[in-house]
Amino acid sequence: MVTKQFTGTPEERADLRRADSLAREIFSDVANKWALLIIEALGERTLRFSGLRDEVEGISHKMLTQNLRMLERNGLVERTVYPTVPPKVEYALTEAGRGLRATVDAMCDWTHRYLDRIEASRRGFDA
């Protein structure tokens, strides 16, 4: 994977409205359903790949692998490999990942709070 070089001032690199900003690339990486569900599943615990796959219902092996690599690349997930046969690999949130988890938890709370209203709105819209 090639690391893209971002130019401009720190403010420009952090501006989500700019198509060429680092902030937008990071936002695009983590604002997908699988990444958010992986972050929620890890929570305050460490899980192996198979444990994560069991926790995130419906995710394919390929999507879990891609998202774990992306989260690790962005410093949100730490991957620990133990020198055993077969190798034991565990995943845990980093400090930055735990910080993002607070936002994910708030999104989950919002979903639960407004689920009935959203469901009613959908029924009315689809009628």
Side-chain angles (χ1 to χ4, degrees):
M1 180 176 289
V2 176
T3 300
K4 182 177 176 183
Q5 295 298 316
F6 293 92
T7 59
T9 66
E11 293 80 19
E12 290 170 334
R13 290 193 318 275
D15 188 348
L16 282 172
R17 296 169 298 173
R18 291 178 54 104
D20 63 344
S21 73
L22 175 59
R24 185 179 288 190
E25 182 176 294
I26 295 166
F27 188 81
S28 177
D29 279 352
V30 300
N32 77 70
K33 71 177 178 181
W34 297 125
L36 296 174
L37 291 170
I38 291 166
I39 290 166
E40 183 63 21
L42 282 171
E44 295 296 324
R45 59 191 171 159
T46 299
L47 289 172
R48 295 179 71 176
F49 187 92
S50 59
L52 269 169
R53 196 175 56 223
D54 292 343
E55 287 289 320
V56 182
E57 189 174 317
I59 193 167
S60 69
H61 186 280
K62 178 182 176 180
M63 288 308 299
L64 181 54
T65 299
Q66 287 176 349
N67 276 273
L68 284 169
R69 286 181 183 159
M70 175 274 298
L71 291 168
E72 184 180 8
R73 177 178 184 253
N74 283 307
L76 302 172
V77 167
E78 180 178 55
R79 179 177 183 263
T80 304
V81 180
Y82 296 93
T84 60
V85 178
K88 177 181 174 183
V89 181
E90 293 181 334
Y91 298 90
L93 294 178
T94 63
E95 180 182 346
R98 289 188 300 275
L100 181 56
R101 181 171 175 249
T103 300
V104 173
D105 286 346
M107 291 173 64
C108 291
D109 292 344
W110 174 87
T111 303
H112 291 121
R113 188 175 315 118
Y114 293 102
L115 187 66
D116 291 339
R117 290 183 195 178
I118 294 168
E119 189 175 35
S121 179
R122 285 180 170 196
R123 279 194 307 269
F125 187 87
D126 295 338

